[in-house]
Amino acid sequence: LISASRPDHEPDRWDFFAAMQLIRTLEERLLDLFGKGLLTGTTHTSIGQESCAVGVIWALDRTRDVVFSSHRCHGHYLALHDAVERLVAEVMGRATGTCGGVGGSQHLCDENFYTSGVQGGIAAAATGVAFAEKLKRTGAIAVPILGDGTMGQGVVYESLNMASLWNLPVLFVVELNGWAQTTPTQLAAAGDLHERARPFGIECRRVRADDVAAVYAAAKDAVRVVRETMRPVFLAIDTYRLGPHSKGDDTRSAEELAPYVAADPLARLRSALESTDGERVASVVEAARARIDRAVATATEAPAGALREALERVAHG
Ligand SMILES: Cc1ncc(C[n+]2csc(CCOP(=O)(O)OP(=O)(O)O)c2C)c(N)n1
């Protein structure tokens, strides 16, 4: 079974590829299902940003670290818990979904994984959880994964302040994808976002998302520092969103996207691996497709969750 969670051994390029391909396949399928009118609500894909999810999440201790993600959360969730079937059922509003179909795409809650569609709130939640973990002496760290647009939210700065002042084990991650919905980051944020946490006395690090192994190495070292020093670290990842903000809402032209499509980290990894073993690449791609097919078929047959049931009652009397 193709898996999005970290293997027991130190991951190699094939492991990274399989996990990123599974995330891409799932999210392309979700867009397709929305297009066919088979899903309701909304969804935000991380197409083009999969190396951030896999690189950061695989650097964590999955058994105790606590991850907080945003509206763009599927990749983070799969990299942590590999719960393809529960996620598909959740987005389809089924009782078998991660949250019984009540949370949908943006509001997942599963053991040490939480998401919220309210921009910035996760920074404060993660800071509070880090405080609790510190008091309990668990050795766990909290990891809020934010977007560059969310760096305009005041609560993020309150959280950076408290995390630094109280020496809390928080790894603040920001995925700098250049856009907040339809607003380019450079029209909304003054100064250098890579250095945003420095005035709070927080060490700022950066990495490019082009190479998932580099993201993994940078995140691993940042996690080590947070755990050893019990101090927050701020990790900025330069990436790019290749898909629309949510479903069809893309104001960017094909010319603007073209160089980023050509530099797609997943496509580049795939062609590097194809030059060593094309058949193995094809079988990874096929295994991802087959797993998503099965997950969609199973969820389609599953009973409706409480929210969907209530909505259907309202619609049909
Ligand atoms: C408090 C709040 N304000 C506004 C929104 C609407 N909103 C949803 S996503 C988004 C853009 C977020 O941009 P960014 O943080 O860069 O993340 P990205 O979508 O690029 O991953 C906005 C403004 C929201 N969900 N919450």
Side-chain angles (χ1 to χ4, degrees), residues 26-240:
L26 169 78
E27 293 198 312
E28 285 179 344
R29 183 66 57 86
L30 291 181
L31 288 178
D32 180 53
L33 292 171
F34 263 106
K36 292 179 173 148
L38 295 172
L39 296 181
T40 51
T42 190
T43 198
H44 304 81
T45 65
S46 60
I47 293 169
Q49 301 181 214
E50 296 89 349
S51 58
C52 303
V54 174
V56 168
I57 302 291
W58 282 15
L60 304 176
D61 178 345
R62 213 174 75 187
T63 62
R64 58 178 170 170
D65 294 336
V66 190
V67 178
F68 292 82
S69 179
S70 64
H71 55 295
R72 209 172 295 289
C73 60
H74 309 147
H76 306 136
Y77 182 46
L78 295 191
L80 188 70
H81 285 320
D82 189 42
V84 168
E85 293 71 20
R86 273 179 286 150
L87 177 57
V88 168
E90 181 61 33
V91 180
M92 293 177 76
R94 305 291 155 171
T96 49
T98 304
C99 300
V102 172
S105 165
Q106 301 189 76
H107 294 103
L108 302 174
C109 173
D110 189 353
E111 295 183 1
N112 52 341
F113 186 82
Y114 303 93
T115 75
S116 169
V118 181
Q119 304 306 302
I122 58 166
T127 301
V129 162
F131 188 33
E133 299 296 334
K134 181 177 174 173
L135 290 178
K136 289 189 286 181
R137 299 180 192 279
T138 60
I141 73 168
V143 187
I145 306 175
L146 307 157
D148 36 6
T150 303
M151 296 307 290
Q153 289 290 107
V155 69
V156 173
Y157 300 91
E158 296 178 45
S159 306
L160 292 169
N161 184 56
M162 295 319 301
S164 182
L165 201 60
W166 291 353
N167 295 312
L168 301 179
V170 189
L171 175 62
F172 290 95
V173 176
V174 56
E175 294 182 0
L176 300 161
N177 67 10
W179 288 86
Q181 205 149 355
T182 50
T183 307
T185 304
Q186 73 266 22
L187 295 186
D192 184 358
L193 288 180
H194 300 90
E195 300 293 316
R196 255 323 186 249
R198 202 173 297 285
F200 296 95
I202 296 176
E203 185 184 341
C204 294
R205 296 174 169 209
R206 67 172 78 184
V207 66
R208 293 183 58 79
D210 313 358
D211 175 9
V212 59
V215 177
Y216 174 69
K220 244 188 143 176
D221 198 57
V223 167
R224 179 190 60 76
V225 171
V226 173
R227 225 187 288 285
E228 280 176 14
T229 63
M230 292 299 279
R231 291 273 311 149
V233 169
F234 183 87
L235 178 65
I237 309 176
D238 288 304
T239 182
Y240 196 79

